Amino acid sequence: FNGHVVRTYDGNSHVLALLDDGKIISWGRNKYGQLGQGISTDDSSTYYEPDYVDVFDGSANYAVDISVGANHNLVITADGTVWTWGQGETGSLGNGLKNNVISPVQITVDGNEHAAIAASTGGGSSYVVLSDGYVWSFGSNLHGQLGNGYAGETPSAYPPLPNGQPSDNPSDANSSIPVLVTGRTLKLTPDSIKMYLGDKPVAVKAT
């Protein structure tokens, strides 16, 4: 490898390493495609030596931040775009699907109007902070970890179905597309501080 390792990130049974040339290497188990090398998956697929992750070439796609979940990964590149791959059955890849992905794919967060500046992962959930200060989440939501007001623990907290009827499926609380984290959030703007209670903004003049 031409680059030097800047930092390593470990998942449940795989490892990513960010190099100082903007590339990424990976090694370990690949059951869900979490190595991101475009390799077909099976129960016994483990790779004991690192190799380059697809897509991140150090120029057009220069990796600057990584977050690793149990079996999936998020990467932010220098242009502020978000890439995901690995296990996606809970929607943790944010690409609108619930299947595994063996090579990084770019996802859309809030219409890509603002650059991503940080990423974080739970076991099967994912979080992206945008340059406007808002946090978006996707993936597993059994215990309400997406912060969007729903959860899969109790039927009363399941999100409604598209037709408005109540859901009886705990997995309906999961989200395969980014959702805005609500609750109580402070956001500083040039002329005011906006306090968000749920999704309702209340502007307070800053003096």
Side-chain angles (χ1 to χ4, degrees):
F1 304 105
N2 294 326
H4 296 87
V5 173
V6 175
R7 186 175 178 183
T8 59
Y9 308 78
D10 62 310
N12 187 39
S13 53
H14 75 291
V15 179
L16 301 186
L18 177 64
L19 306 184
D20 62 2
D21 58 3
K23 298 178 182 179
I24 301 172
I25 56 176
S26 62
W27 64 95
R29 196 179 188 199
N30 193 52
K31 180 179 179 180
Y32 306 101
Q34 61 263 49
L35 297 188
Q37 299 174 11
I39 304 169
S40 297
T41 60
D42 61 60
D43 288 345
S44 61
S45 53
T46 300
Y47 296 84
Y48 303 106
E49 296 183 358
D51 203 353
Y52 286 113
V53 174
D54 294 345
V55 175
F56 307 108
D57 54 12
S59 55
N61 294 310
Y62 190 104
V64 295
D65 190 26
I66 298 174
S67 186
V68 173
N71 298 299
H72 75 289
N73 315 282
L74 270 69
V75 167
I76 296 175
T77 51
D79 61 357
T81 55
V82 182
W83 300 75
T84 64
W85 71 95
Q87 187 177 23
E89 64 187 44
T90 64
S92 56
L93 303 185
N95 61 349
L97 304 173
K98 293 185 177 181
N99 58 342
N100 302 332
V101 174
I102 61 176
S103 291
V105 293
Q106 184 180 343
I107 66 168
T108 299
V109 182
D110 195 22
N112 288 346
E113 293 184 6
H114 302 280
I117 59 174
S120 183
T121 50
S125 52
S126 307
Y127 309 87
V128 175
V129 182
L130 300 183
S131 60
D132 63 352
Y134 291 114
V135 181
W136 293 75
S137 60
F138 42 97
S140 176
N141 198 33
L142 177 63
H143 306 295
Q145 57 264 53
L146 297 189
N148 64 338
Y150 299 114
E153 286 184 299
T154 57
S156 62
Y158 298 170
L161 297 172
N163 62 8
Q165 296 299 309
S167 168
D168 60 0
N169 186 350
S171 67
D172 286 341
N174 300 338
S175 180
S176 62
I177 59 173
V179 294
L180 182 64
V181 174
T182 57
R184 186 169 297 176
T185 305
L186 284 175
K187 178 177 172 58
L188 182 65
T189 63
D191 60 351
S192 68
I193 296 175
K194 286 186 179 179
M195 178 178 287
Y196 280 77
L197 303 177
D199 60 351
K200 304 299 183 183
V202 178
V204 180
K205 188 68 176 180
T207 58

